[in-house]
Amino acid sequence: MVLPVLVMFATALVWGLLVVAAQIQCVDAARVGARAAARQDPHDAVVAVAREAAPPGARVVVNREAGQVRVVVVARPPVLHGLPFDLREEAVAAVEETTGAKT
């Protein structure tokens, strides 16, 4: 009786750690994307950089507003994809001003 409960507990603990790791990846991806967008990198480059840091299958949305950029990363929880929630993180950064080409 105790062994199945321990196995279920251990499985839930491992799944919880995987979800936390995926959430941290979403945080990192949103920050990396926001930094790239703030440097005024092209939209495709920002999305590519954010997807590299994001969990597999994550969606990346980049919005440019007056003086700010917002990057939102949304991913499904790992292992149990049928759960009714997504992992979501967003980062906002001020757009950096460009002064021209370097010589």
Side-chain angles (χ1 to χ4, degrees):
M1 180 70 177
V2 173
L3 188 58
V5 171
L6 287 175
V7 169
M8 285 176 38
F9 178 74
T11 302
L13 184 64
V14 167
W15 180 79
L17 290 173
L18 289 173
V19 169
V20 168
Q23 180 68 33
I24 291 170
Q25 284 181 306
C26 288
V27 169
D28 291 342
R31 287 181 183 167
V32 165
R35 278 194 300 266
R39 289 189 309 257
Q40 299 184 15
D41 289 356
H43 182 272
D44 293 339
V46 172
V47 171
V49 159
R51 280 201 179 128
E52 275 184 33
R59 295 183 313 272
V60 177
V61 178
V62 179
N63 292 320
R64 295 180 191 268
E65 300 162 0
Q68 291 185 336
V69 291
R70 180 181 310 271
V71 177
V72 179
V73 178
V74 180
R76 300 293 299 163
V79 183
L80 300 174
H81 297 288
L83 292 177
F85 66 91
D86 290 334
L87 304 174
R88 182 182 187 281
E89 192 59 48
E90 79 180 59
V92 178
V95 174
E96 297 176 6
E97 294 184 29
T98 56
T99 58
K102 294 181 181 180
T103 58

